[in-house]
Amino acid sequence: MAGIEFVPDEHGGVTVMRDGHPQSHVDVADPEHLVFEYVQHMAAAIDATFPGPDPIGVTHVGGAGLTLPRWVQATRPGSPQIVLEPDERLTAAVREELPLPRGHRIRVRPQLGRAGVAALKDASAHVVLVDAFDEGRVPADLQTVEFFAEVARVLRPDGFLAMNCPDEPGWRHVKDVVAGLLAVFGTFRGLTADGLRTSTNGEGVALVAMRDVMKGRRYGNTLLLASHRPIDADELRRQVGRWPFPSGVLAGAALTRRTNGGTPITDGDSRPSPVAPDPGTWRAR
């Protein structure tokens, strides 16, 4: 099918390509086999927050090969999942080439992410995962404070947002996106052993990235997490450490220091994520 390719590899999986960009890696026989590092980081964030195997409600903004919906179904059977994927042609091709497992509750809606999230009910999702690209860049309208406010409305009190946010060394774009997340999720009130507490130090926001990306050595993916409640950074580090890519976690004050100087992005000044460098010869690891 023009523009869509399914490229098998030596790992027993298939990489879904759209217009020359790798979208997903899928192993139908083993849905717990995750290849892309940021997808592993998303799985680690879910494991750190909702250990399973109880079902959880997940909304995916961006579908492609439906890699994470398959993983959620394998690790938390019966989880109700909504996938917002506007490319109906891609979804049809994926369903034909890479069938979904029996008994799944994965529902793909042919909607853009922003409109699809706006149509969801309040407190209807444990997790909202944003992994959406248009010509290799995260769409502008999925990185604004207005969008994050919609996600905050859709999330349950114990839920979290996870979004893939690629950037160049220096994190100029990531800093602004983090500032937007802090504006929406950075202050919360909750009961502790000492009574009602208000937090403004960014405990509800965290970042996960491979160490060379964390050190600013190259363009790469960062996974940004945001929650209505403090993120357990220690448990997140333990779960991230179970996967093979050397990765790090920034949370709380450490994250706010590293991303100091960012300005929240609004709908009026939104922009897509930076253009990725030419990958040359890519290879699924």
Side-chain angles (χ1 to χ4, degrees), residues 74-151:
T75 59
R76 294 154 180 82
S79 292
Q81 301 186 72
I82 296 171
V83 180
L84 304 173
E85 173 52 68
D87 192 337
E88 294 183 77
R89 194 170 60 99
L90 174 61
T91 299
V94 166
R95 285 182 178 276
E96 181 178 351
E97 294 287 334
L98 306 168
L100 288 167
R102 292 182 178 180
H104 71 83
R105 297 180 62 193
I106 300 167
R107 302 292 178 261
V108 183
R109 298 180 180 176
Q111 292 179 293
L112 290 168
R114 183 71 176 263
V117 169
L120 297 174
K121 295 179 180 179
D122 293 0
S124 59
H126 291 87
V127 182
V128 173
L129 301 176
V130 179
D131 182 19
F133 288 85
D134 183 13
E135 297 183 348
R137 306 172 75 181
V138 180
D141 65 350
L142 300 182
Q143 302 175 91
T144 69
V145 291
E146 291 88 349
F147 174 66
F148 297 150
E150 281 290 346
V151 174

Side-chain angles (χ1 to χ4, degrees), residues 33-47:
H33 175 204
L34 304 179
V35 169
F36 293 171
E37 89 285 349
Y38 71 88
V39 178
Q40 295 177 3
H41 295 160
M42 286 183 169
I46 293 174
D47 283 339

Side-chain angles (χ1 to χ4, degrees), residues 170-193:
W171 286 0
R172 290 179 60 186
H173 185 72
V174 164
K175 288 178 180 180
D176 290 346
V177 178
V178 169
L181 290 172
L182 288 170
V184 175
F185 292 93
T187 301
F188 58 87
R189 293 167 64 83
L191 286 172
T192 68

